[in-house]
Amino acid sequence: MKYDLKLEELKERRISLRLILMYKVVEGLVPSLPPDKFLKFSKPKRKIKAKTISDHIATNFVNSQVCNNSKGLQIPDSKAIQYRNSFFVDAAIHWNHLPDSVVQKDSVKSFKNALQNYRAS
């Protein structure tokens, strides 16, 4: 049925929804989560591409420190496993992997479309 409807896997849909919420927080569209209180923007650095293998899951330090856009976020220190899997840490890692062409959109709808096109390619 999933293939008939051409749906993403549940894991991919969760990542997309986290990124959409992170876009709203970064742009200040969520009044209860002001970006200056919860987020720290990182300074532009050189771009690092982590080597990836499609069938292997690893916690790679380089992978968590990649920043491919001008609105990159600092990843909070996360020593506890529960905090490492929390929204702001996990979503910030995925956010930093997005290119500028996706992050620089001016509305939520255009961000959703750009995100869908980026993740489909």
Side-chain angles (χ1 to χ4, degrees), residues 1-119:
M1 182 173 170
K2 180 179 89 170
Y3 298 108
D4 295 338
L5 297 175
K6 298 179 183 173
L7 293 176
E8 291 179 304
E9 291 185 14
L10 183 58
K11 180 180 178 181
E12 298 299 320
R13 283 185 278 165
R14 286 181 179 151
I15 292 171
S16 295
L17 290 172
R18 282 180 176 224
L19 287 171
I20 292 167
L21 180 57
M22 182 60 83
Y23 174 82
K24 291 177 182 179
V25 171
V26 167
E27 295 298 322
L29 301 174
V30 182
S32 59
L33 297 172
D36 55 342
K37 185 175 180 182
F38 291 98
L39 303 175
K40 291 183 182 177
F41 292 95
S42 64
K43 297 175 185 171
K45 302 179 197 174
R46 64 186 175 105
K47 293 183 180 181
I48 301 172
K49 294 277 183 171
K51 184 176 181 180
T52 57
I53 301 171
S54 62
D55 61 344
H56 181 70
I57 298 172
T59 56
N60 186 349
F61 175 76
V62 173
N63 197 26
S64 67
Q65 299 300 319
V66 171
C67 185
N68 292 333
N69 60 56
S70 60
K71 291 186 178 181
L73 301 171
Q74 287 183 358
I75 308 299
D77 291 335
S78 52
K79 294 178 181 159
I81 294 172
Q82 292 84 357
Y83 184 63
R84 204 175 307 143
N85 293 326
S86 69
F87 171 75
F88 284 107
V89 176
D90 188 48
I93 291 171
H94 291 293
W95 177 266
N96 287 345
H97 281 61
L98 295 176
D100 259 341
S101 60
V102 176
V103 172
Q104 294 293 337
K105 297 300 179 184
D106 57 349
S107 69
V108 177
K109 188 173 183 178
S110 63
F111 177 78
K112 286 180 185 179
N113 291 335
L115 181 63
Q116 185 178 18
N117 293 337
Y118 172 72
R119 293 183 63 88

